[in-house]
């Protein structure tokens, strides 16, 4: 129960890595604001937390929209009294080779990942700075290092690494740690959608990804949630501005 008395806000918390992170925080004692673009999946995760005896609130929020993001943070504070952890998992992919990538593919991905992370961090620091306490963890990706068909996504995920380093410098004096995690292939709806779109059987896609991975398996949402929990714990109290790759190898 290392997070008793802490309040966490997880965007994209209704599914995949965000849902696993919300559950992990709750099981270690935190009150959790589970946020997602649709209330349905967020409420499912929040109900599971409450059924397990935890405290959770589901909030629908499109992270691309400043007004919705600011209202979400305000609801977190109104409901639980403070905000200690921000984890930004909201995300989409719109893959295309450069010659086929449309403005919509570009704008959708950049707005969701890059602008969404900026808006959430800006709203959260308004609460964390006066508290003189906070932990932010942003979701980057191995795609930040380059990945075919992902000009938009790789640019956003590399940008998020720069944002984490910059905010670690700006917010460090207020006792706020800012880090990024960069997962490789994690088994979620997002990677399942890649299989569907490319017409590859999901089991085959996973098998190929596992063979490329030194630990010889694909990642699970819980693998990422564990590292996020570590970065929000006092064990990582002197870690800031770092990118931790969670991809079963170097
Ligand atoms: P996921 O299962 O698809 O979950 C992402 C969630 O974000 C979904 O519930 C999605 O809603 C929501 N979302 C999309 N647009 C949003 C918006 N504008 N505002 C608020 N929420 C929004 O994906 P995941 O695999 O858990 O990914 C979580 C994060 O990890 C993402 O940032 C992703 O880029 C990153 N990541 C994933 C992997 C991987 O292999 N899975 C690897 C590296 C990094 P809808 O389902 O309705 O769209």
């Amino acid at each position: 129960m290392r997070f008793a008395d802490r309040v966490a806000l997880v965007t994209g918390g209704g599914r995949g890595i965000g849902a696993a992170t919300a559950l992990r925080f709750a099981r270690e004692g935190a009150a959790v604001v589970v946020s997602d673009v649709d209330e349905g999946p967020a409420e499912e995760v929040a109900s599971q937390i409450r059924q397990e005896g935890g405290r959770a609130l589901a909030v629908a929020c499109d992270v691309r929209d400043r007004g919705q993001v600011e209202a979400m943070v305000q609801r977190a504070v109104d409901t639980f009294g403070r905000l200690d952890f921000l984890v930004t998992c909201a995300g989409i992919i719109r893959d295309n080779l450069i010659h086929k990538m449309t403005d919509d593919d570009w704008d959708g991905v950049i707005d969701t990942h890059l602008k969404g992370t900026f808006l959430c961090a800006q709203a959260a620091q308004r609460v964390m700075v006066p508290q003189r306490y906070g932990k932010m963890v942003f979701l980057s990706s191995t795609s930040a290092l380059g990945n075919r068909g992902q000009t938009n996504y790789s640019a956003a995920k590399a940008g998020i690494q720069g944002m984490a380093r910059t905010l670690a410098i700006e917010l460090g004096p207020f006792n706020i740690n800012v880090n990024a995690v960069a997962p490789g292939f994690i088994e979620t709806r997002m990677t399942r959608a890649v299989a569907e779109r490319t017409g590859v059987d999901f089991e085959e896609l996973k098998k190929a990804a596992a063979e490329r991975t030194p630990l010889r398996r694909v990642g699970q949402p819980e693998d990422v949630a564990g590292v996020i929990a570590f970065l929000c714990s006092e064990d990582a109290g002197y870690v800031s501005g770092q990118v931790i790759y969670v991809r079963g190898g170097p």
Side-chain angles (χ1 to χ4, degrees):
M1 300 301 278
R2 63 184 162 168
F3 300 139
D5 304 326
R6 295 290 176 208
V7 178
L9 191 165
V10 184
T11 72
R15 302 191 202 278
I17 296 167
T21 302
L23 288 164
R24 175 75 189 248
F25 279 146
R27 287 170 186 159
E28 296 205 42
V32 187
V33 178
V34 185
S35 171
D36 213 298
V37 66
D38 295 321
E39 187 153 358
E43 183 49 46
E44 269 178 44
V45 174
S47 318
Q48 188 180 339
I49 290 172
R50 287 192 292 266
Q51 274 163 22
E52 292 181 11
R55 292 171 298 153
L57 171 74
V59 177
C61 171
D62 183 336
V63 297
R64 297 170 299 181
D65 184 291
R66 171 177 291 282
Q68 291 187 39
V69 168
E70 289 178 354
M72 166 183 72
V73 169
Q74 193 56 51
R75 270 195 79 191
V77 174
D78 290 347
T79 308
F80 295 121
R82 53 188 288 126
L83 177 62
D84 299 295
F85 309 152
L86 168 69
V87 182
T88 56
C89 297
I92 57 167
I93 46 173
R94 296 287 181 271
D95 296 357
N96 247 327
L97 294 175
I98 185 70
H99 66 284
K100 290 191 207 155
M101 188 164 283
T102 65
D103 285 1
D104 281 350
D105 294 334
W106 175 264
D107 291 343
V109 166
I110 296 294
D111 285 356
T112 305
H113 292 274
L114 205 50
K115 186 176 177 193
T117 302
F118 159 67
L119 291 176
C120 290
Q122 193 177 51
Q125 61 82 35
R126 284 197 195 105
V127 183
M128 291 174 177
V129 166
Q131 279 177 183
R132 295 293 191 273
Y133 183 90
K135 313 276 184 194
M136 297 188 191
V137 182
F138 304 152
L139 267 289
S140 178
S141 165
T142 50
S143 296
L145 302 170
N147 198 24
R148 185 179 154 83
Q150 294 196 319
T151 306
N152 49 4
Y153 186 78
S154 63
K157 291 307 199 186
I160 283 171
Q161 297 190 3
M163 208 187 307
R165 291 191 190 100
T166 297
L167 294 184
I169 294 166
E170 290 189 18
L171 299 176
F174 303 101
N175 195 30
I176 297 168
N177 303 54
V178 186
N179 292 288
V181 289
F185 189 114
I186 308 297
E187 187 173 351
T188 68
R189 227 169 74 116
M190 187 175 275
T191 38
R192 195 174 286 277
V194 171
E196 277 165 21
R197 198 175 34 76
T198 53
V200 179
D201 177 65
F202 189 49
E203 292 308 312
E204 288 301 316
L205 190 75
K206 278 189 339 188
K207 195 163 164 268
E211 278 163 9
R212 288 194 305 271
T213 303
L215 283 174
R216 293 290 186 274
R217 67 175 178 89
V218 299
Q220 296 301 319
E222 293 72 20
D223 290 316
V224 186
V227 177
I228 293 170
F230 163 69
L231 287 171
C232 291
S233 75
E234 292 316 310
D235 286 337
Y238 205 50
V239 178
S240 200
Q242 303 302 311
V243 179
I244 312 281
Y245 283 84
V246 187
R247 49 95 55 208

